[in-house]
Amino acid sequence: MKAVIVCTSVSHGNTKRIADVMGQVLEASVVDPDQADMAELSTCDLVGFGSGIFLGKFHPRLRQFVRSLPQVERRGAFVFATSGLPEPRLRPFTRPLVRVLAQKGWEVNDTFSCRGFDTWLPFKLVGGINKGRPGAPDLEAARTFAEGLRARTGAVS
């Protein structure tokens, strides 16, 4: 099976580090939405979509990319994120992107999120929060997540 990860990582490279670990496990290339080839995505069995979280939402470039995707028929997907604050249990920030993907015909197999270094105001005033994150335990959790995806979907390039 073929896999690709579409990732927007703009502030500190947090999300790219997570995407790279997942990409190694899934033998998937990691591309920015601006570099993603729609024809290639249409041949993939599994596509990951991820970014940092900004004011409780995925990066606008990733959201726009997902909205621009054509309708597909039963393609596997997963969603992942890094954020300074923990994901709320009652209103997970992954839910809106999962819904848009589902409306487009994608079957979202799972979601992953972890904390990341964040210097967004007002955190910048104190030097940021979550220094050193994602760290080794977060990267290992991302690896384990991707291994689980691979086992469930058979996603190998």
Side-chain angles (χ1 to χ4, degrees), residues 7-51:
C7 171
T8 301
S9 186
V10 296
S11 296
H12 302 288
N14 298 330
T15 312
K16 177 79 164 77
R17 289 174 55 209
I18 295 295
D20 286 343
V21 167
M22 291 179 177
Q24 288 172 356
V25 172
L26 298 171
E27 298 179 28
S29 59
V30 177
V31 298
D32 187 88
D34 298 336
Q35 301 167 328
D37 179 353
M38 292 291 193
E40 181 184 11
L41 292 183
S42 70
T43 67
C44 289
D45 300 297
L46 183 66
V47 179
F49 299 92
S51 82

Side-chain angles (χ1 to χ4, degrees), residues 23 32 35 38-39 58 63 65 70 72 75 81-82 88 92 97 101 108-109 111 113-114:
D32 187 88
Q35 301 167 328
M38 292 291 193
F58 282 89
R63 292 193 327 256
F65 177 79
V72 297
R75 292 269 181 229
T82 58
L97 196 67
L101 287 165
V108 178
N109 295 304
T111 63
S113 66
C114 72

Side-chain angles (χ1 to χ4, degrees), residues 1-3 25-27 45-46 149-157:
M1 294 181 102
K2 185 176 181 183
V25 172
L26 298 171
E27 298 179 28
D45 300 297
L46 183 66
L149 278 174
R150 186 180 64 197
R152 287 191 306 276
T153 63
V156 177
S157 294

Side-chain angles (χ1 to χ4, degrees), residues 40-155:
E40 181 184 11
L41 292 183
S42 70
T43 67
C44 289
D45 300 297
L46 183 66
V47 179
F49 299 92
S51 82
I53 299 298
F54 301 86
L55 297 173
K57 297 179 181 178
F58 282 89
H59 192 277
R61 199 165 62 222
L62 183 69
R63 292 193 327 256
Q64 176 58 37
F65 177 79
V66 168
R67 285 192 301 266
S68 74
L69 289 171
Q71 197 72 25
V72 297
E73 200 169 308
R74 299 179 56 120
R75 292 269 181 229
F78 65 96
V79 173
F80 65 100
T82 58
S83 67
L85 298 174
E87 185 169 24
R89 290 180 191 223
L90 296 177
R91 288 190 58 158
F93 41 66
T94 53
R95 186 181 300 157
L97 196 67
V98 168
R99 284 185 180 153
V100 173
L101 287 165
Q103 290 168 356
K104 299 260 182 190
W106 295 86
E107 291 184 7
V108 178
N109 295 304
D110 209 347
T111 63
F112 176 87
S113 66
C114 72
R115 305 290 286 279
F117 180 53
D118 190 349
T119 55
W120 182 76
L121 212 56
F123 306 130
K124 187 175 189 171
L125 299 173
V126 295
I129 60 172
N130 302 317
K131 291 180 182 174
R133 303 247 353 235
D138 302 306
L139 298 174
E140 188 55 37
R143 180 177 308 284
T144 300
F145 172 82
E147 288 169 350
L149 278 174
R150 186 180 64 197
R152 287 191 306 276
T153 63

